[in-house]
Amino acid sequence: MSPPLFEPRRRLWLLRTPSTSYAVRIDEDDTVRHVHWGAALTLEQAGELAERTPAAGSSFDAVGGAEELAVEGGARFGPPGLQVRFADGTRAVEWRYAGHDADDGYLSIHLDDRHYPLRLTLHYRVHEDSDVIERWTTVENRDDRLPITLRRCDSAAWTLPGRDGYRVSHLVGGWNSEFRLRRAEVATAETVFTSRRGLTSHHANPWLAFDDGTAGEEHGEVWSTALAWSGSWRITLHRDPAGRTTWTGGHGHEGLTWSLAPGETLSTPVFAGLFTAGGFGAASRAWHAYVARHVLPHPGEPRPVLYNSWEATGFDVDEAGQTALAAQAARIGVELFVVDDGWFGGRVGDHAGLGDWTPNPDRFPHGLRSLSAEVHRLGMRFGLWVEPEMVNPDSDLYRAHPDWVMHMANRERTELRHQLVLNLARPDTAAWAHAWLDRLVAEHDIDYLKWDANRPFTEAGWPGHDDPDRLWIEHTRAVYRIMDRLRADHPGLRIEACAGGGGRADLGILARTDQIWTSDNTDPVDRIAIQHGFSQLFPAQVMGAWVTDSPNVATARQTPLRFRFHVAMAGALGVGGDLATWTEDELKEATELIATYKRIRPAVQHGTAYRLTGEGTLTAVGFAHEDRFVVLAWCPSRPYGHQPAPLRLTALDPGATYRDPDTGATYSGAVLLRSGLPLPLPEGDHASALVQLIRIED
């Protein structure tokens, strides 16, 4: 990748991606200002734009153009991305440009405070195969005597070009209802998106997208950003009365302060962004490609078809029952068998045992090694559920180390799910967590961990520590370090990120895990909307999706097995039903559908995804891969006797011919694009179809 271009006279930089440009400049008071983010420009064209950037505003407005990271001080009245307090009480910042480094797609701009020993560095990185721009910040206390208090330290601020009618797209939800896509006009005000829970959260996600109100799935300008952080976070969106739209974001939330010790440097998580002129679908595909190329540890691996025992057994877990389920799972074509909660300590329910990570001797008299060996003999990998960050007060661990949990002096310790949160920011607690996980994986030949985190932080204090709020950062970093060490020491280990379902889904956790448990809600009708929202940022290969029993345990909705499979086959397929109760016909159908999934898996997990919309409630996803286009379509409800119109496809060659290998039917690409694909939907509600199209040579 070529280095950023620099124009010394204007102190102007231009970063280039394959199809976009990003430009910044330093103005007369050494503030770094935004110039351009959008379609590709030359350095000369960026310079022309830089000349237009206002040098100053009125006394009632912000000074000059939008900043790359706003601070307190001077005539600034919007949301700051950096707030500090020096030892003498001063909070305002005045910058002096201190140089820059540029090399191979990377730019860092250094700023020093004019009086105090504070250095801020703005970092930018681009890749030759992606339009994503990675940004982050480092802040350094260069004093050798006094600390500096950080009240807010964001990763980056972003600025949109002047447009009317901007919309923001974002994800909302709750437990069992994650990733619900919402679009709304950007208000002339400050809008805060945040999680104060210590986790990414079910309720919001640090991904946003913006358009001018006219973009669609396959057309229009879209700007999108995503924060790579798995703890509490905050993004503040600001549209001022003059129409300028900016947002700033990073880790932490309001009310927290961190002490930057003498000589210490704090580095923030990456806040990445991209621009496309191809609509929301192109934005998602650009994110998916970036995740595969620059985030995931093993993007080229096929995600195995897994079986998880939770909905079959709950806490009633023992060796005989799990062995029987493993035999049934292997019979239908499962490749990874995962034992869920209830295998350890005194864990016969959710009241006790969490933290005592040794196999329950009554339930597993031979430990887990014999079950692991049997699962491997059946030709499957062996996985295990763990929750390393939590503890039950009724446990040997808590009785031995009550000080290891997050707590505040003279305050009650709130229990949620009868659990407390371990403070992994403590080196001793983190060392213990890594040690038992390392031992567990090694001693039981474990191939896969489902890493869960089932409750948010409360009383997040650290009595006796001189910087207790630091735990909001350091706990998440400790989780990262433990996962990184486990993967380094056990190269074959794969990890699934889970937090009561989709409560920890972000680019930070995906850098050290292989897939995400999308939601505890496995109802296929609900899952269509959940998976639609999830796909705005995340590719199908990381989206855990299970087929479970009917009626569904969460909603009591009854749906056909085929419909349940077709919805789950749009991601990393799993099975979670009680196989001991499935009929022979159901087991046979499941075996056939799993075999079909394995045939289309390269397209689903490594192809390019296109969200498709049909008539009424008909929706679909198409996956293009090599000479293949796979369609999974779902129609949850429809009027009696009504057959939806053919589904219009995309991303096909209009001059090519395509064949359906299951029916032998052939179609011209032009007809599929303009008039659609007839779908073999069965009558009634909860209808679905899977169609494979293979390009054939004329």
Side-chain angles (χ1 to χ4, degrees), residues 427-442:
D428 51 355
T429 313
W432 165 85
H434 172 263
W436 73 257
L437 282 162
D438 181 66
R439 184 170 58 251
L440 184 77
V441 171

Side-chain angles (χ1 to χ4, degrees), residues 94-136:
E94 296 177 355
W95 292 129
R96 180 179 65 249
Y97 172 57
H100 73 276
D101 301 300
D103 182 42
D104 196 25
Y106 171 73
L107 169 67
S108 60
I109 302 173
H110 309 292
L111 302 170
D112 289 341
D113 186 85
R114 291 180 181 270
H115 177 79
Y116 296 93
L118 173 71
R119 167 162 287 192
L120 175 76
T121 301
L122 303 177
H123 300 268
Y124 303 79
R125 182 169 56 215
V126 295
H127 303 277
E128 62 183 0
D129 59 356
S130 174
D131 285 326
V132 170
I133 301 166
E134 298 171 342
R135 295 181 57 191
W136 69 100

Side-chain angles (χ1 to χ4, degrees), residues 137-151:
T137 299
T138 54
V139 58
E140 178 185 359
N141 180 2
R142 295 191 152 193
D143 196 327
D144 60 2
R145 299 176 300 108
L146 298 174
I148 296 173
T149 299
L150 297 178
R151 301 171 58 243

Side-chain angles (χ1 to χ4, degrees), residues 296-573:
L296 287 175
H298 297 284
E301 288 185 357
R303 274 46 181 171
V305 177
L306 67 79
Y307 178 82
N308 183 287
S309 66
W310 174 251
E311 290 200 14
T313 64
F315 290 106
D316 190 15
V317 177
D318 60 30
E319 184 173 349
Q322 296 297 302
T323 301
L325 284 170
Q328 290 286 66
R331 174 186 170 189
I332 63 173
V334 165
E335 299 161 316
L336 165 65
F337 184 83
V338 182
V339 179
D340 212 279
D341 199 353
W343 59 268
F344 54 91
R347 188 74 165 172
V348 296
D350 63 2
H351 288 68
L354 198 60
D356 300 337
W357 298 103
T358 55
N360 182 305
D362 296 327
R363 296 179 165 203
F364 294 92
H366 308 102
L368 290 175
R369 283 194 64 86
S370 60
L371 176 60
S372 173
E374 175 61 12
V375 168
H376 288 135
R377 187 193 69 78
L378 290 168
M380 299 181 291
R381 284 179 266 179
F382 181 61
L384 205 60
W385 178 94
V386 293
E387 194 172 10
E389 299 159 72
M390 309 295 169
V391 64
N392 287 129
D394 186 3
S395 66
D396 293 340
L397 176 69
Y398 185 76
R399 284 183 282 271
H401 299 285
D403 55 323
W404 280 11
V405 301
M406 295 181 185
H407 67 285
M408 294 180 177
N410 306 310
R411 292 291 179 263
E412 295 291 329
R413 302 184 181 193
T414 300
E415 293 184 27
L416 297 174
R417 292 174 55 93
H418 313 289
Q419 296 176 199
L420 299 171
V421 184
L422 291 168
N423 180 6
L424 295 187
R426 291 178 56 122
D428 51 355
T429 313
W432 165 85
H434 172 263
W436 73 257
L437 282 162
D438 181 66
R439 184 170 58 251
L440 184 77
V441 171
E443 291 181 357
H444 300 92
D445 295 329
I446 292 170
D447 306 294
Y448 188 92
L449 291 176
K450 180 175 181 177
W451 184 305
D452 209 344
N454 271 308
R455 59 151 289 176
F457 294 5
T458 58
E459 292 86 44
W462 193 346
H465 196 279
D466 58 4
D467 190 17
D469 284 354
R470 186 63 74 94
L471 74 83
W472 291 89
I473 298 174
E474 295 304 333
H475 178 94
T476 300
R477 287 179 168 176
V479 170
Y480 289 169
R481 285 192 296 270
I482 293 168
M483 288 182 173
D484 291 343
R485 286 185 65 188
L486 288 173
R487 298 189 74 115
D489 293 340
H490 306 279
L493 179 68
R494 301 295 178 260
I495 302 176
E496 178 181 13
C498 177
R504 189 184 259 161
D506 57 80
L507 300 183
I509 203 67
L510 273 181
R512 56 264 308 160
T513 60
D514 301 277
Q515 64 189 64
I516 292 170
W517 178 227
T518 318
S519 177
D520 284 346
N521 185 350
T522 58
D523 181 298
V525 176
D526 287 354
R527 270 297 184 117
I528 292 172
I530 291 170
Q531 294 178 183
H532 177 81
F534 187 88
S535 74
Q536 302 298 314
L537 174 61
F538 304 109
Q541 72 179 131
V542 306
M543 183 176 72
W546 294 358
V547 177
T548 57
D549 293 333
S550 179
N552 182 266
V553 67
T555 66
R557 184 182 281 120
Q558 298 188 42
T559 53
L561 187 65
R562 165 189 163 110
F563 183 76
R564 282 175 268 154
F565 261 98
H566 282 169
V567 172
M569 288 163 76
L573 177 64

Side-chain angles (χ1 to χ4, degrees), residues 36-93:
H36 171 76
W37 181 24
L41 295 179
T42 65
L43 186 60
E44 292 74 18
Q45 292 164 340
E48 182 180 339
L49 279 180
E51 294 294 338
R52 296 182 188 177
T53 305
S58 75
S59 60
F60 295 98
D61 296 317
V63 174
E67 298 179 51
E68 286 292 273
L69 193 71
V71 297
E72 289 184 303
R76 296 178 174 96
F77 305 105
L82 177 67
Q83 293 176 289
V84 302
R85 185 172 61 246
F86 299 104
D88 63 1
T90 297
R91 288 166 48 175
V93 173

Side-chain angles (χ1 to χ4, degrees), residues 5-63:
L5 301 178
F6 181 55
E7 207 274 84
R9 181 177 66 83
R10 294 186 177 100
R11 297 198 291 181
L12 170 72
W13 292 270
L14 181 70
L15 293 102
R16 297 163 295 167
T17 73
S19 58
T20 73
S21 293
Y22 193 95
V24 300
R25 70 178 179 90
I26 295 181
D27 69 5
E28 293 80 2
D29 68 354
D30 284 5
T31 298
V32 184
R33 305 277 185 190
H34 179 78
V35 173
H36 171 76
W37 181 24
L41 295 179
T42 65
L43 186 60
E44 292 74 18
Q45 292 164 340
E48 182 180 339
L49 279 180
E51 294 294 338
R52 296 182 188 177
T53 305
S58 75
S59 60
F60 295 98
D61 296 317
V63 174

